[in-house]
Amino acid sequence: MRRVVLLVQRSLLIAFTLISPANSETLSDSNDIHGLWIESRKQKTAVWIEDCDDKLCGRIYWLKKPLSANGKPKRDHHNPDVTLRNRFRCGLRIMSGFVHKKKNSWSGGEIYNPSSGRTYNGMIRLDEEGSLKVRGYIGISLFGKTLKWIRPLEKIKQCG
C-alpha cells in the first residue's frame, strides 16, 4: 500500500511540474535572453530584447512614468543629435550591436541612456538564476556600472 501511495505522489508531482505555467515559462526562458526585462531595483523601465540584423538589440517597452510634467509622452530631449530629440522614448532602441561571445555572455554593443543622452559600451551576462547583468561603461569595462535586470513578475502593457 505504501508503494502505491508513493507512486501516486510522484506521478502527481511530475504531472504538476509539467503542466505548471510558471514552471514551463521558467524552463523556456531560463537560457533565452530574448523577451521582456525590467531593472530589478527601481523598476522604472522595461526593455524588450530581440534580434536585429544578427545581433541583439533592445527597445523601451514600458515606462513607469511615460508622460512628462506637461502630460505629453516623454521624448528623447537629451539626444546629442538635435534632429533626434523629438523621438518618443517608448519604442526607442536603447541597446544595439550585442554579439554572443561565449556561453550566456554578449558584448560589443552599445547602451543609450535617454535620460542623459549618453551612449556607453556594453556587456550582458545571463546569470544562472535567470537574471541579466547589464554593464555600461566608458573605455574599459572597469569604469562602468552594472544593473541587474529580471523578468517582470506581473504582466506589463506596452507603452506607445
Side-chain angles (χ1 to χ4, degrees):
M1 180 68 172
R2 183 180 162 122
R3 283 183 149 167
V4 172
V5 171
L6 286 173
L7 183 61
V8 170
Q9 287 176 336
R10 287 182 184 156
S11 297
L12 287 173
L13 181 61
I14 291 170
F16 178 75
T17 302
L18 293 175
I19 64 172
S20 170
N23 191 37
S24 63
E25 184 177 314
T26 302
L27 288 174
S28 65
D29 290 343
S30 63
N31 292 320
D32 189 5
I33 192 172
H34 297 86
L36 192 57
W37 295 91
I38 189 166
E39 196 270 322
S40 67
R41 211 182 70 172
K42 295 181 182 178
Q43 297 194 1
K44 291 182 176 183
T45 304
V47 175
W48 184 267
I49 296 180
E50 61 190 348
D51 291 323
C52 298
D53 301 323
D54 297 327
K55 296 179 182 180
L56 283 180
C57 67
R59 297 182 181 278
I60 295 177
Y61 181 89
W62 170 86
L63 292 168
K64 186 173 188 174
K65 295 181 180 180
L67 304 178
S68 60
N70 64 9
K72 295 184 179 181
K74 287 185 178 176
R75 297 186 184 260
D76 191 15
H77 290 298
H78 300 289
N79 196 304
D81 183 343
V82 178
T83 63
L84 300 177
R85 291 185 179 169
N86 208 27
R87 300 184 301 176
F88 291 110
R89 282 198 191 178
C90 285
L92 184 66
R93 186 185 291 186
I94 61 167
M95 299 170 65
S96 61
F98 286 91
V99 177
H100 188 253
K101 293 294 183 181
K102 56 185 178 181
K103 183 180 178 183
N104 296 335
S105 181
W106 294 259
S107 61
E110 293 183 334
I111 302 169
Y112 174 68
N113 181 350
S115 296
S116 67
R118 298 200 62 182
T119 300
Y120 302 91
N121 297 326
M123 297 173 16
I124 305 170
R125 188 179 79 246
L126 182 61
D127 281 349
E128 290 179 13
E129 78 266 4
S131 65
L132 280 184
K133 301 293 192 224
V134 181
R135 182 160 186 82
Y137 60 93
I138 298 172
I140 59 174
S141 65
L142 180 65
F143 303 111
K145 180 178 181 178
T146 300
L147 297 176
K148 179 180 177 180
W149 289 6
I150 58 172
R151 298 282 186 184
L153 300 175
E154 301 173 355
K155 187 161 178 71
I156 294 178
K157 185 179 177 185
Q158 186 173 4
C159 62

